Amino acid sequence: MPQRRPLRDRQGGHACAILNLVVPLANPATAMCTKGTARHRPRRPCTVAPLTGSGPRQGNVNSTTWRSTARTTRGIRTLMMATRTTITRTTPFGLVPSADTADAAPGHADFLFQELVQAYLDCRRSKRSSRSALAFELNLEHNLMQLHTELQTGTYQPGRSICFVVTQPKPREVWAADFRDRIVHHLLYNQVGPTIERRFIADSCACIKERGTLYAAKRLDAKVRSITHNWSQPAHYLKCDLANFFVSINKTVLEQQLAKHITQPYWQALALQILWHDPRQNYELRTTPKLLAKVPQHKRLAEQPAHLGLPIGNLSSQFFANVYLNALDQFIKHQLQAKYYIRYVDDFVLLHQSPQQLNQWRHQIEQFLATHLQAQLNPSKTILQPVDRGIDFVGQVIKPWHRVTRRRTLKTALRKVTSTPQPQLRETANSYFGLLSQASHSQRDREKLAKVLLMRGRAVNAGISKIVGRRA
């Protein structure tokens, strides 16, 4: 059978480099032409299927013949063309890192290219329509390979951030990292996040898989029922909030915590690089000065010294915040031995039959925060009262025998559904219906939302229509 000629580049006429994403090379590869290349099929630009492959099998490499002992694997050409090959050669972007990292030098990046692709897939789920994501996907393979090379060689540097202001539920300054930097954040989290989160207590919520607002509300409801013996005995709760949490996080303290939790030299160095990166040195302001002035000065990252504050809006900041407050969780559970405790980001609740005990714990927590975390409680949001008055937590109010949606959340939902344009009305209404349905007793709230939709000429679920009809 005659040999096929090497694939030619459209511009330079040179043979295109073939990258094997599955089989790692044990030594620098020689300049071989690809043999046995099957008929190639054109792929849609920016598609992800060639990057991940279908059913990849990993095998050993014979350094004398440069042939893989595994079955034929699916490779990728730099011109976004998927081919099937048995022999590969080097690409201009560098080699894929070996899966065997036992002999890796200290600080070497011990991750596969497939893991970088997975981080990209995780990152694009909710950011694919953003401007930086679209620009990154215009030349997807090249950008991923370039980012991989920078991470491998230690030349990676964070890019420009975007600063803007959100007004709901209150004015906040948000610093969004560039899309390629978000990929690095997901890569770091995928590598070290699950291991660290296993050390967290079960009552640490927010930004952890399967530990969102619904998890926190149900768990607090169960704790209240337990301490009150199903609402038959009195109890009190202490609700606290950290003052200016994200902009007051001490990076020096957090650096010591990350160094303790992350023992791999490369990932520790990458985490500290992300931690100490100052987005104020290179950013684009996408808001008006009038809107920016609505954010109080003490809540702006731009007004803080370099060793304080994390940018709101990045996965790394959310993950670092959980690591930062894990020390508080461990102190409350093991030193104070508080049985009924739960935390969501910087909001936390303690339950006890005695209000005097809760007051004593509050003083001990204030001392711990000042000594170990250099943080302080927000006195205006510190509440101590009986549980039967209702506990406002994570958008719901836990009351005797039921949970209801916070009134402010319902007002926001009604206002949004009333003013949303018709093309986006369905998605907006469904999202608020889903939010309201998380509360155990939300029938009346959903009825109010359904009435607004009916007045705007939109149909609603038959079950909700029956409720509205009975109450009309």
Side-chain angles (χ1 to χ4, degrees), residues 406-418:
R406 182 187 296 167
R407 297 299 92 189
R408 186 178 65 185
T409 304
L410 177 61
K411 292 180 180 179
T412 302
L414 297 176
R415 184 176 67 253
K416 287 287 186 180
V417 172
T418 302

Side-chain angles (χ1 to χ4, degrees), residues 63-246:
S63 59
T64 59
T65 62
W66 297 101
R67 291 180 181 271
S68 171
T69 59
R71 294 184 179 181
T72 302
T73 57
R74 187 174 298 275
I76 182 170
R77 193 156 63 99
T78 55
L79 292 178
M80 300 182 184
M81 194 76 68
T83 63
R84 182 173 294 276
T85 180
T86 57
I87 303 178
T88 58
R89 64 173 180 156
T90 57
T91 68
F93 304 111
L95 298 175
V96 175
S98 173
D100 184 9
T101 59
D103 300 331
H108 180 73
D110 52 349
F111 68 93
L112 297 175
F113 183 80
Q114 292 94 320
E115 295 172 319
L116 182 63
V117 174
Q118 184 59 52
Y120 156 74
L121 296 175
D122 295 340
C123 182
R124 76 168 187 171
R125 287 176 183 172
S126 58
K127 300 296 180 183
R128 197 170 189 182
S129 60
S130 63
R131 188 182 306 177
S132 60
L134 294 175
F136 188 88
E137 290 186 349
L138 284 177
N139 198 359
L140 179 60
E141 282 92 348
H142 172 79
N143 291 331
L144 280 176
M145 290 301 301
Q146 183 178 8
L147 179 59
H148 170 261
T149 303
E150 293 179 6
L151 292 171
Q152 284 290 98
T153 58
T155 59
Y156 164 76
Q157 293 295 330
R160 172 176 293 188
S161 299
I162 299 174
C163 177
F164 60 95
V165 175
V166 295
T167 57
Q168 295 294 335
K170 55 185 177 182
R172 293 179 183 271
E173 185 184 58
V174 179
W175 297 78
D178 189 66
F179 184 76
R180 72 192 304 269
D181 297 328
R182 290 177 177 269
I183 297 177
V184 178
H185 298 170
H186 279 270
L187 177 66
L188 173 66
Y189 176 78
N190 292 343
Q191 294 293 326
V192 303
T195 303
I196 296 178
E197 288 175 353
R198 282 195 290 268
R199 305 171 189 172
F200 294 168
I201 64 174
D203 298 307
S204 174
C205 311
C207 308
I208 301 176
K209 187 177 181 180
E210 299 180 356
R211 295 193 195 179
T213 56
L214 183 58
Y215 172 90
K218 287 184 175 181
R219 194 165 181 87
L220 179 58
D221 188 13
K223 290 178 180 294
V224 175
R225 289 176 180 267
S226 176
I227 195 174
T228 61
H229 295 276
N230 211 10
W231 298 98
S232 63
Q233 296 182 8
H236 293 75
Y237 76 92
L238 172 67
K239 181 183 176 183
C240 300
D241 178 275
L242 297 186
N244 310 321
F245 175 57
F246 274 97

Side-chain angles (χ1 to χ4, degrees), residues 407-420 425 432 436 444-453 456:
R407 297 299 92 189
R408 186 178 65 185
T409 304
L410 177 61
K411 292 180 180 179
T412 302
L414 297 176
R415 184 176 67 253
K416 287 287 186 180
V417 172
T418 302
S419 59
T420 299
L425 181 58
Y432 278 113
L436 296 177
R444 293 187 177 181
D445 296 339
R446 287 180 288 160
E447 174 188 342
K448 295 178 182 178
L449 190 62
K451 285 183 177 180
V452 175
L453 288 173
R456 298 197 62 181

Side-chain angles (χ1 to χ4, degrees), residues 182-374:
R182 290 177 177 269
I183 297 177
V184 178
H185 298 170
H186 279 270
L187 177 66
L188 173 66
Y189 176 78
N190 292 343
Q191 294 293 326
V192 303
T195 303
I196 296 178
E197 288 175 353
R198 282 195 290 268
R199 305 171 189 172
F200 294 168
I201 64 174
D203 298 307
S204 174
C205 311
C207 308
I208 301 176
K209 187 177 181 180
E210 299 180 356
R211 295 193 195 179
T213 56
L214 183 58
Y215 172 90
K218 287 184 175 181
R219 194 165 181 87
L220 179 58
D221 188 13
K223 290 178 180 294
V224 175
R225 289 176 180 267
S226 176
I227 195 174
T228 61
H229 295 276
N230 211 10
W231 298 98
S232 63
Q233 296 182 8
H236 293 75
Y237 76 92
L238 172 67
K239 181 183 176 183
C240 300
D241 178 275
L242 297 186
N244 310 321
F245 175 57
F246 274 97
V247 298
S248 63
I249 292 179
N250 192 297
K251 294 183 180 180
T252 304
V253 176
L254 184 53
E255 178 182 8
Q256 298 174 358
Q257 295 174 332
L258 291 174
K260 178 181 178 181
H261 287 289
I262 306 176
T263 57
Q264 304 94 323
Y266 177 82
W267 299 113
Q268 182 184 120
L270 182 61
L272 297 183
Q273 181 186 21
I274 297 174
L275 171 65
W276 286 104
H277 169 65
D278 190 354
R280 299 172 296 182
Q281 303 299 325
N282 183 16
Y283 72 96
E284 177 184 354
L285 185 62
R286 292 186 183 177
T287 187
T288 61
K290 182 179 180 180
L291 189 60
L292 187 62
K294 294 183 178 180
V295 182
Q297 293 292 324
H298 64 279
K299 291 184 177 294
R300 294 188 57 189
L301 181 64
E303 302 299 328
Q304 305 300 321
H307 71 285
L308 292 181
L310 294 179
I312 299 176
N314 296 335
L315 173 65
S316 59
S317 300
Q318 300 168 358
F319 172 61
F320 291 164
N322 279 335
V323 175
Y324 183 73
L325 290 182
N326 178 55
L328 175 64
D329 298 338
Q330 302 296 334
F331 171 75
I332 293 177
K333 295 295 291 186
H334 299 293
Q335 300 297 324
L336 301 184
Q337 296 184 354
K339 182 179 180 180
Y340 303 100
Y341 163 78
I342 190 169
R343 178 182 61 83
Y344 189 91
V345 192
D346 61 324
D347 296 334
F348 57 93
V349 176
L350 294 94
L351 305 174
H352 200 272
Q353 294 86 352
S354 171
Q356 292 78 14
Q357 180 64 67
L358 291 175
N359 259 325
Q360 182 180 351
W361 282 348
R362 179 176 62 85
H363 292 302
Q364 292 176 301
I365 291 174
E366 289 177 340
Q367 295 176 0
F368 176 84
L369 290 174
T371 305
H372 294 82
L373 300 182
Q374 299 184 15

Side-chain angles (χ1 to χ4, degrees), residues 370-440:
T371 305
H372 294 82
L373 300 182
Q374 299 184 15
Q376 60 182 358
L377 297 178
N378 188 342
S380 62
K381 295 185 179 181
T382 302
I383 302 173
L384 174 60
Q385 63 180 9
V387 296
D388 55 6
R389 295 185 181 179
I391 307 176
D392 190 344
F393 189 63
V394 294
Q396 297 186 27
V397 181
I398 291 86
K399 294 184 176 181
W401 309 104
H402 66 287
R403 290 180 286 110
V404 296
T405 307
R406 182 187 296 167
R407 297 299 92 189
R408 186 178 65 185
T409 304
L410 177 61
K411 292 180 180 179
T412 302
L414 297 176
R415 184 176 67 253
K416 287 287 186 180
V417 172
T418 302
S419 59
T420 299
Q422 285 290 343
Q424 295 84 29
L425 181 58
R426 179 180 178 182
E427 291 77 8
T428 302
N430 283 335
S431 64
Y432 278 113
F433 272 123
L435 178 62
L436 296 177
S437 63
Q438 291 184 358
S440 62

